[in-house]
Amino acid sequence: MHSTENAKYLGSRSSLPICCLLLLLLAVVLQPAASQTQSSQRYLQNVDINNANNERLQQILKGSGAGAAPAQIWPQPPLKAIPDVKTELAKLNSTYTYQNDWPANNVKLGAVTAVSFDKAGNVVIFHRVNRVWGQQTFDNRNVYQEQYLGPIRESTILALEPATGAMKYDWGKNFFYMPHGLTVDPEDNVWVTDVAMHQVFKFPPRGGDGKPLLTLGTAFKPGSGKKFCKPTSVAVLDNGDFFVADGYCNARILKYSRAGELITSWGQNSFSGVSYDVAPQNYFAIPHALTLVPELELLCAADRENGRVQCFFSRNGTFHSQYHSQLIGDRLFSMAYTPASGGQLVIVNGPTAELGIHPEHYNEVHGFVLSMRSKQLVSKFGPNNLEFHNPHDVAVTTDGNEIYVAELAPMRIHKFVHRSLTKPLSLSATKDTSNIGTGKAGQENAAPGQTVHHPSGKAILVASLMLLFAGSTFALALLFARRRKRVHARSQIFA
């Protein structure tokens, strides 16, 4: 792994071969020490790395924006000891119970990319139906290559009843090409991003007549300035001002007025540096999701490939704090805020080996609950206490009692309920999870009618005690009856 200066030097080593050889040898000797504090290029999505003149590649390697500080002079704090991640993860309690029978079996989904809540409390999800983001979906300039397929014909936005998972309403036909982010604002308007169209849309409640109230960006034209390049997420303040994470290419956050006028923007590309609290403030390696912390007037962003959450003052975008745990790893896909227990971030990470900088580190894909006060993880969760495969977004109710996780593959929307609300005497119905990830994505792991009921340990104990009590009562009653009979017989003899 050579720095940009080393690569540049190696390209001009014709005049002084002996000196160059010595310098090259010196670079090799010093390389292991350098690799501990500075990473290789991290995520070159749709970039031709063989083309040295590629403008996007230069932005990634140097950092976009005028006057960007070179990656090589980023401050590097002393390396922290890496804990035994597997052992520490095993110590975390699971404070949420998986709802195996949610949603209803008749809800058919494609890759689920986003989840939010409408004013009625319904769970609103964004999914891609039959559309897949593959290696050939975009060219090296981030231009969508499958426009000929036309928009997705089926409903891409579904609202599910939180208790049963039954569908309440659906919309979004014949409009979107590659869904990504979805947010329902305090007025019940629906904000969505489409990475193929490079646009952000505001729709009226429940989609209205299917026509957006506001459109930002130019359809199928990636760019910067007033254009977007694969925007990922939207967050909306109570006064109608809103934020856009312009995520995959520009690595920036923009704040707009209610009318759609740009107020401010910040952020630069950060595809170098170790993810463990090292990447500098306001640098992003894909700002992938946004959430608001109203009590502190903060906007928080999931800095995906840096494996951290960065929070900023929502007034002006000034940096406030960042949150990271080595137990989460190098990739953090989404987070949502709840004021429960003094303020918590519910986080979903992702598999490290695919794109992460340190695939040798032990990694587990879970949901995590992080205290904003202590900056420590307080619990973890997953489907039946197992790992996720590819979680993409997360939403949590204000009281922190319910969590919903959108997953790309298998194509699922997951529901979790806080253990404090679990009925101790109930029998939990669970589906067979032995084949998770082995069947076709999107298919149910157990066919209808194959639900298996597993009594909990508490239920078995209570039932056993009840049987013991009933048996003891019967035995005592029988004993008393016999004694009464003997007394009655004796009274007859002595009468």
Side-chain angles (χ1 to χ4, degrees):
M1 295 183 294
H2 297 283
S3 65
T4 353
E5 284 83 0
N6 288 339
K8 189 174 181 181
Y9 166 75
L10 292 175
S12 60
R13 66 180 196 275
S14 59
S15 59
L16 298 173
I18 297 177
C19 294
C20 291
L21 182 60
L22 291 174
L23 288 175
L24 179 59
L25 181 60
L26 180 61
V28 171
V29 171
L30 295 178
Q31 179 61 36
S35 65
Q36 294 180 2
T37 57
Q38 182 179 329
S39 77
S40 61
Q41 54 200 50
R42 303 212 39 191
Y43 181 62
L44 307 183
Q45 176 70 31
N46 301 315
V47 174
D48 181 8
I49 61 176
N50 296 317
N51 182 1
N53 296 321
N54 189 294
E55 180 180 356
R56 170 72 183 120
L57 176 59
Q58 298 306 316
Q59 289 179 344
I60 290 175
L61 296 178
K62 299 178 181 179
S64 64
Q72 288 73 20
I73 62 172
W74 288 353
Q76 300 290 332
L79 292 177
K80 297 180 181 179
I82 298 176
D84 185 339
V85 174
K86 187 174 183 178
T87 300
E88 295 300 318
L89 283 171
K91 295 179 182 178
L92 286 176
N93 294 322
S94 297
T95 53
Y96 287 86
T97 302
Y98 187 48
Q99 305 300 292
N100 297 272
D101 54 352
W102 196 97
N105 283 333
N106 62 346
V107 177
K108 304 303 179 183
L109 300 172
V112 187
T113 63
V115 55
S116 186
F117 304 104
D118 65 13
K119 290 183 70 173
N122 296 310
V123 181
V124 185
I125 64 175
F126 205 14
H127 76 124
R128 292 174 179 165
V129 188
N130 59 352
R131 205 57 58 90
V132 176
W133 185 347
Q135 292 295 323
Q136 307 302 319
T137 303
F138 294 88
D139 67 11
N140 293 335
R141 296 184 178 181
N142 298 298
V143 176
Y144 183 59
Q145 297 297 291
E146 298 173 349
Q147 191 174 345
Y148 64 89
L149 295 175
I152 300 171
R153 296 178 179 84
E154 300 178 34
S155 294
T156 53
I157 298 176
L158 313 178
L160 307 178
E161 203 276 328
T164 65
M167 189 184 302
K168 299 286 288 186
Y169 59 87
D170 64 291
W171 58 281
K173 297 180 179 179
N174 298 309
F175 191 95
F176 302 105
Y177 285 77
M178 190 61 69
H180 198 277
L182 178 145
T183 301
V184 183
D185 71 17
E187 298 176 358
D188 229 18
N189 299 304
V190 184
W191 298 77
V192 292
T193 67
D194 189 304
V195 291
M197 302 172 77
H198 305 286
Q199 288 182 298
V200 177
F201 304 96
K202 174 187 177 182
F203 286 89
R206 301 195 175 194
D209 58 359
K211 297 180 181 179
L213 301 173
L214 178 68
T215 300
L216 296 176
T218 305
F220 304 106
K221 302 291 185 183
S224 56
K226 293 185 178 180
K227 294 181 179 180
F228 299 116
C229 187
K230 298 177 184 171
T232 55
S233 184
V234 176
V236 186
L237 296 170
D238 287 339
N239 66 358
D241 293 351
F242 61 96
F243 303 88
V244 174
D246 191 14
Y248 282 92
C249 317
N250 294 320
R252 59 179 178 167
I253 296 176
L254 306 97
K255 181 179 181 180
Y256 292 88
S257 70
R258 183 186 185 94
E261 299 173 346
L262 181 64
I263 297 175
T264 187
S265 65
W266 68 94
Q268 300 182 59
N269 267 315
S270 163
F271 285 85
S272 296
V274 180
S275 63
Y276 299 152
D277 299 321
V278 172
Q281 301 172 4
N282 303 352
Y283 278 69
F284 299 105
I286 307 178
H288 196 256
L290 300 175
T291 192
L292 294 168
V293 182
E295 296 90 336
L296 301 177
E297 297 184 350
L298 297 179
L299 170 79
C300 296
D303 188 2
R304 196 182 90 174
E305 298 300 309
N306 281 321
R308 61 177 177 168
V309 175
Q310 289 195 73
C311 295
F312 309 88
F313 288 104
S314 56
R315 298 187 304 275
N316 54 18
T318 302
F319 178 84
H320 175 269
S321 55
Q322 64 173 302
Y323 303 86
H324 177 78
S325 169
Q326 296 184 36
L327 304 187
I328 293 175
D330 288 340
R331 309 181 76 211
L332 191 155
F333 274 71
S334 186
M335 83 274 106
Y337 172 75
T338 171
S341 301
Q344 295 178 331
L345 291 173
V346 179
I347 294 167
V348 289
N349 65 345
T352 298
E354 180 186 358
L355 297 172
I357 176 177
H358 291 303
E360 71 275 11
H361 291 170
Y362 183 81
N363 171 253
E364 291 183 10
V365 184
H366 289 289
F368 298 92
V369 179
L370 184 146
S371 169
M372 291 189 70
R373 288 182 175 180
S374 66
K375 292 190 176 184
Q376 299 297 316
L377 296 181
V378 296
S379 68
K380 66 179 180 181
F381 60 91
N384 291 322
N385 293 330
L386 301 175
E387 293 186 54
F388 292 102
H389 290 268
N390 290 282
H392 197 258
D393 194 24
V394 63
V396 58
T397 54
T398 303
D399 57 15
N401 287 335
E402 296 180 5
I403 294 174
Y404 298 85
V405 176
E407 191 162 21
L408 296 178
M411 303 172 186
R412 289 292 304 273
I413 178 71
H414 302 275
K415 178 181 178 180
F416 299 84
V417 175
H418 197 277
R419 287 191 181 276
S420 63
L421 301 181
T422 303
K423 298 179 181 179
L425 298 180
S426 65
L427 299 181
S428 58
T430 62
K431 295 178 181 178
D432 179 14
T433 58
S434 60
N435 295 321
I436 289 180
T438 60
K440 292 184 179 180
Q443 293 183 343
E444 296 291 336
N445 294 307
Q450 293 182 341
T451 301
V452 181
H453 296 273
H454 300 283
S456 65
K458 290 184 179 179
I460 294 174
L461 178 60
V462 171
S464 301
L465 292 174
M466 290 177 65
L467 288 173
L468 181 61
F469 176 77
S472 301
T473 303
F474 178 76
L476 288 173
L478 183 61
L479 180 61
F480 288 144
R482 288 182 177 180
R483 287 186 175 180
R484 289 183 61 185
K485 186 175 181 179
R486 291 176 181 175
V487 171
H488 178 69
R490 289 177 180 177
S491 65
Q492 294 295 328
I493 294 174
F494 294 103

